[in-house]
Every structure is written in C-alpha cells, then in structure tokens.
C-alpha cells in the first residue's frame, strides 16, 4: 500500500523548530525553512549560524567567556583542552589562612625597634630588658593583625597581658629556673594570643605556628619593603639625612654635657648600653634574632594557622557495663587507700612505721613520688574514659558524671596525702628546689582535677576546659615566680636551724641572690659561709641597670652593709670527710653537713 505524501512545510517556522521525520516512502521535497538569528547577549559576539564553533573560538584554559557560545566547554573538551583539577585538600592546607596583604609600615618600624633593642639590651643578661624588648614586638603583632582585619578579642587580651606579666619575673628574681619557666610560658601565651585557639590541639600546637612563620615572615617583609621603596621616589634621602643630623647632634652635645658635669656623665653612662667593637658579632646575632622573631610574630598575627580546624574522630562509645565496671573497681581501690591514709593522718604513724619497718622520713619520701604518679595516671584515665564514654542520652551523661566525679574526688584526697607526706619530709630534712617544684606541680594537678569537675557540672560552654587549664598553668608559673622559690627554700631551712640546730650550708651557698635576706639572719660564721658564693657572683657580675633584678639590688645592699668574711674557718668540714668515704652516697642529702 503506497504511503501518504508528506505535508508541506510551515511557511513561518520558529527558530527552534525541528522537522519531524516522516514514514518510509517517497517524499516530496520541501522548501528549506528560513532560520532566524538567535537572540544575542548585548556586547557579545554573535553565535555561529550553523555547526559547532571552531577551536579558535574557545579560550586556552577551556573556560567559556561571558557571551561565548554555549558549546564552548564541550568543544574545548573535544578539541583536547583540559580544565586543571582542583587542588587536593590536606590537613596543612586546611589549617592555613589566606596569604596576608602588604605588611603595614608601622609593623616594619616596630620590628626594627625590636631588633635594635635586642642588640643593645639582651647581651648583658636577663632582667627588665626582656619586657622592654617585648613591648615593640607586641606592637608589631598588633599593627599586622589590625591591617589584616583581625579583631582584638577578650581571650586575645588575656593571653597577651598574661605573657607580658610573666616577663616581670626576670626583673624581680635572680634565680634562673623560675625565669626559664616564666619565659617559656610567656612564649606559649604569646602563641595563643596570635592564633586564637580554643581546643586542646590549638593549646598544645600553637607554638609551632611561630616556627612556621619564620621564613614566610622574612619574605613578606622583604616584598613590602621593595614595594614601598618603589613608591618612595626620592623620599628615602631626606629621611636618612634627617636621622643622621639628629644622631650627630645627640652625640656632640651629649659628649659636651658629659664632660662638663660628672653626675650627668654617670647618669648617661648608666642609661646607655656598653657596646664594644669586640662584641660586634654577638650584637649582630641578637639584632638578627630580634628582627626575624618580630617578623615571624607579625606574619602569624596576620595569617595564623587555624589549629582548631583539625578535628579528631570521636571514640566509639562503649556499653555502660563495659565502660563503667573498670572505673568502679578503680574507685573502690582509691577509697580503700584513702581510708588508710585518713587513719594514718589521725595519729596512726607509729603503728604503720612499726609494721613496715621504715623510718619516719623514708615513709614520707617513698610515698610522695608514687602518689604523684598516681595523680598523673588518673588524669590520663579520665581523658581516655571521656573519649569512650557512652553518650546515648541523659542516663549516660548522669553515669559518666557520677563515676568520673567520684574518681576526681578520691584523687583529690590522694593529692592531699602526697602534699602531707612532702610536708613531713621537709620538716625532717629541709626544703630544696626539687621538693618545692614537685609540690607546686602536685598542687596544680589538684587544681586541674577541680576544673575537670567544674566543667562536668557547668558544661563546656560555660567553662571551656582547655582554656581554663592553660590559664591555671600560666597563673601557677607566675605565682611560683613571684613566690621566689630560692627565698622560700632559704627561709624554711633557716627556720629548721632555729628549731633543731641543723642546717646544710653546703647546699644553701649554691642558691641565688633571692635567698640573701633569709640567710642574713644566720649567726656567724654560718652566715658568711652561706653567703660567700652569692657575694662572689654579684661582685663578678657588674651588669647594667636593665639586666639587674630587684633581688640582686637588695642582696648587694645587704652585703655592702654587713660584708662577708670566712677567714680562719672551714665552712663545710663534714663535706670533705663524707666526700672521701663510701658513706657519701648512703647519707640523705639534707643530713650530710649538719651544724
């Protein structure tokens, strides 16, 4: 059966109409329909009338421009053009901020001031000079942070002011070990102020951000200086000439006034750093360290590492019985131990000592270190228990708070027992630097336990535990420094001598100038024997005003007023006798050289 002829074409077809295929059979040719041009975008090139675009119509990077043909991306792929894949995200790219803008001129000048003060002041010792150098370094970070659009938040001010407060310790004390703790803690607080961290990772890893900014900070400052040098157009010359004239006037008239008046010359000599030619390399190294450190601080303030973006996978929650049973058993063990400690505390020492065969001091000394380790391990157990704690609902939260809260309370009793043992040991053998240090650590661990319980009751929002622990650590270091440990050691040993007539002069003569006011109360010749080495160190020092602590100034006044003389007296006669015998290692440290 023959097929039906095809219908004639629409005399006015639309631009988008496609001809429909007809049934098989002979066809009547139809006139081609005229095509209307597609609507064009204003300001763009007209689209091709027929067929795909040629490769020359596609950008080299394979991306379609505004107003280009809609076939451009596909055509680019068919023509062999590739779109570069997006960069692979790693943990390092996740924590990095965007590169900062140009370094502000105020930050450059503050970094230069930090470098100059470092070269002039830090070569003669540590004292008030650390605080003087830290002030322009803080301004460098402030100018860089403001230029980068960062706001000064409350916790930023807390960390920054806390770090500056810790640098007061070297200006007050002569002892090196509390100064070291204060300087390290100040660097830690400075890194927290620059990064603005909240979690445990930020608290622990923030100092690494300063190290990461050393190289980028120098490069950032170099680019900024080159850009400003290109925009100066001859303004550097007047600045250099003005600076040279000012320095020349100060040198000439300062020398004239110093020659005209001896008092003014002494004042000028005490204020100006004593810099010699032979110290040139050392001063240049201090200048470089101060400049690089200030630029690293500025770069960190402008583009800090976001440590809080590192997220750890939470531990798999355990079943209630699986999680709670080991901790309940541990609580029962702590309760039994604390019951014995309370019995001993209320007068059972004689019975315990008779059963154990230990001496009074050996019982106290042996127990303290075990209890200190027990406290540390308990904190680790609490951290792991929180990671794997059940968290299905209110009942699980109540179980976790009850079990861990009981463990914290029982551990606080262990802390009190350890401190009581240390007090008994100090009464028997005196106080040392090591003993006062570990007692301070034990006190801080007890404070951490209290903070853990408070965070469990109040919640993480009301009491952020990482920040609270960091604040307690910094406050503890500051209080430890202001307490003056060497002065406390000397005071307790002088009181022990007044009570028992025993004192270890061989240990006390190795203390710092902080101990001079307490040791000055000893009768002669013990006083001179205890102060002889301190007086020798102070005479050999002769440091400028900015490198002398307040304790050194007070000690010099005491020694100049009363003096030290050990003529005709052997200060440590028993030391030599024990040193030459096999009994030296078997005698307690504070029972060797009794007088």
């Amino acid at each position: 059966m023959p097929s039906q002829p095809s219908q004639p074409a629409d005399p006015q077809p639309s631009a988008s109409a496609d001809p429909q295929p007809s049934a098989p059979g002979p066809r009547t040719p139809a006139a081609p329909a005229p095509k209307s041009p597609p609507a064009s975008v204003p300001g763009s090139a007209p689209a091709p009338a027929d067929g795909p675009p040629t490769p020359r119509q596609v950008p080299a990077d394979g991306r379609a421009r505004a107003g280009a043909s809609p076939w451009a991306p596909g055509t680019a792929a068919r023509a062999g053009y590739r779109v570069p894949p997006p960069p692979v995200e790693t943990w390092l790219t996740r924590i990095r901020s965007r590169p900062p803008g140009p370094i502000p001129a105020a930050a450059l000048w503050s970094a230069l001031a930090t470098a100059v003060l470092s070269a002039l002041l830090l070569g003669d010792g540590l004292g008030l000079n650390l605080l003087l150098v830290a002030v322009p370094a803080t301004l460098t970070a402030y100018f860089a942070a403001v230029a980068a659009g960062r706001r000064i938040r409350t916790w930023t001010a807390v960390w920054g002011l806390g770090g500056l407060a810790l640098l007061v310790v070297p200006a007050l004390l002569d002892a090196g070990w509390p100064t070291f703790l204060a300087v390290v803690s100040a660097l830690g607080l400075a890194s927290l102020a620059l990064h603005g961290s909240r979690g445990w990772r930020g608290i622990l890893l923030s100092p690494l951000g300063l190290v990461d900014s050393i190289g980028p900070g120098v490069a950032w400052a170099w680019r900024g200086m080159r850009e400003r040098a290109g925009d100066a157009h001859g303004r550097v010359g007047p600045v250099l000439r003005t600076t040279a004239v000012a320095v020349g006037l100060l040198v000439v008239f300062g020398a004239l006034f110093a020659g005209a008046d001896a008092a003014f010359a002494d004042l000028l000599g005490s204020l100006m750093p004593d810099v010699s030619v032979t110290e040139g390399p050392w001063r240049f190294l201090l200048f470089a360290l101060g400049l690089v450190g200030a630029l690293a601080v500025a770069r960190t303030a402008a583009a800090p590492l976001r440590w809080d973006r590192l997220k750890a996978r939470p531990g798999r929650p355990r079943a209630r019985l699986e999680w709670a049973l080991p901790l309940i058993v541990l609580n029962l063990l702590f309760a039994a131990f604390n019951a014995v400690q309370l019995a001993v505390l209320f007068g059972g020492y004689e019975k315990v000592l008779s059963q154990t065969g230990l001496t009074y001091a050996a019982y106290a000394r042996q127990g303290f270190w075990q209890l200190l380790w027990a406290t540390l391990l308990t904190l680790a157990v609490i951290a792991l228990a929180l990671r794997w704690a059940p968290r299905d609902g209110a009942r699980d939260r109540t179980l976790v708070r009850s079990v861990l809260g009981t463990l914290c309370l029982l551990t606080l009793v262990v802390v009190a027992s350890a401190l009581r043992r240390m007090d008994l040991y100090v009464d028997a053998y005196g106080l040392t630097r090591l003993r006062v240090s570990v007692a301070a650590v034990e006190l801080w661990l007890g404070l951490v336990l209290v903070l853990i319980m408070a965070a469990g009751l109040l919640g993480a929002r009301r009491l952020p535990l990482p920040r609270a622990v960091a604040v307690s650590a910094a406050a503890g270091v500051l209080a430890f420094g202001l307490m003056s440990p060497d002065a406390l050691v000397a005071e307790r040993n002088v009181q022990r001598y007044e009570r028992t007539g025993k004192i270890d002069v061989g240990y006390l003569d190795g203390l710092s100038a902080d101990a001079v006011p307490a040791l000055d109360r000893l009768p002669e010749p013990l006083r001179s024997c205890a102060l002889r080495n301190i007086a020798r160190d102070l005479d050999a020092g002769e440091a400028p005003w900015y490198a002398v602590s307040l304790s050194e100034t007070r000690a010099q006044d005491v020694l100049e007023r009363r003096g030290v003389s050990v003529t005709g007296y052997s200060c440590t006669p028993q030391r030599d006798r024990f040193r030459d015998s096999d009994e030296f290692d078997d005698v307690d440290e504070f029972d060797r050289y009794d007088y």
Side-chain angles (χ1 to χ4, degrees), residues 409-493:
L409 286 174
L410 294 175
T411 308
L412 285 177
V413 180
V414 173
V415 171
S417 177
L419 293 175
R420 175 58 179 163
R421 287 170 182 260
M422 177 56 68
D423 185 61
L424 295 173
Y425 190 48
V426 168
D427 287 340
Y429 292 109
L431 189 63
T432 65
R433 289 173 170 176
L434 177 61
R435 291 165 191 168
V436 71
S437 300
V438 294
V441 171
E442 187 72 22
L443 278 173
W444 177 69
L445 293 177
L447 179 59
V448 171
L449 290 170
V450 174
L451 291 176
I452 292 174
M453 291 189 296
L457 293 175
L458 300 177
R461 293 184 178 180
R462 295 184 179 179
L463 182 62
L465 187 60
R467 286 176 170 176
V469 172
V471 168
S472 67
V477 172
L478 180 60
F480 186 73
L482 297 179
M483 181 181 61
S484 185
D486 276 16
L488 181 62
V489 169
E491 181 69 27
R492 290 294 298 268
N493 282 278

Side-chain angles (χ1 to χ4, degrees), residues 97-149:
S97 302
R98 290 181 296 179
I103 183 172
L108 286 174
W109 285 110
S110 299
L112 181 61
T114 304
V116 172
L117 290 179
S118 299
L120 294 178
L121 303 181
L122 295 184
D124 300 303
L126 299 181
L128 187 62
N129 48 10
L130 276 178
L131 190 59
L132 295 177
V133 172
V135 171
T138 304
L139 292 177
T140 305
Y142 172 76
F143 293 136
V146 170

Side-chain angles (χ1 to χ4, degrees), residues 570-584:
S570 178
C571 288
T572 56
Q574 297 188 18
R575 169 182 292 184
D576 300 331
R577 177 171 63 84
F578 277 115
R579 191 183 297 276
D580 297 334
S581 66
D582 295 335
E583 302 177 13
F584 184 78

Side-chain angles (χ1 to χ4, degrees), residues 131 134-135 137-139 141-142 152-168 182 185-196 297 471 474 478:
L131 190 59
V135 171
T138 304
L139 292 177
Y142 172 76
I152 307 301
R153 301 181 183 274
T154 303
W155 279 104
T156 304
V158 169
W159 301 132
L161 294 177
L164 293 176
L166 284 168
L167 294 182
V168 177
S185 300
L187 289 176
L189 292 187
S191 65
L192 289 178
L194 295 173
H195 289 87
V297 165
V471 168
L478 180 60

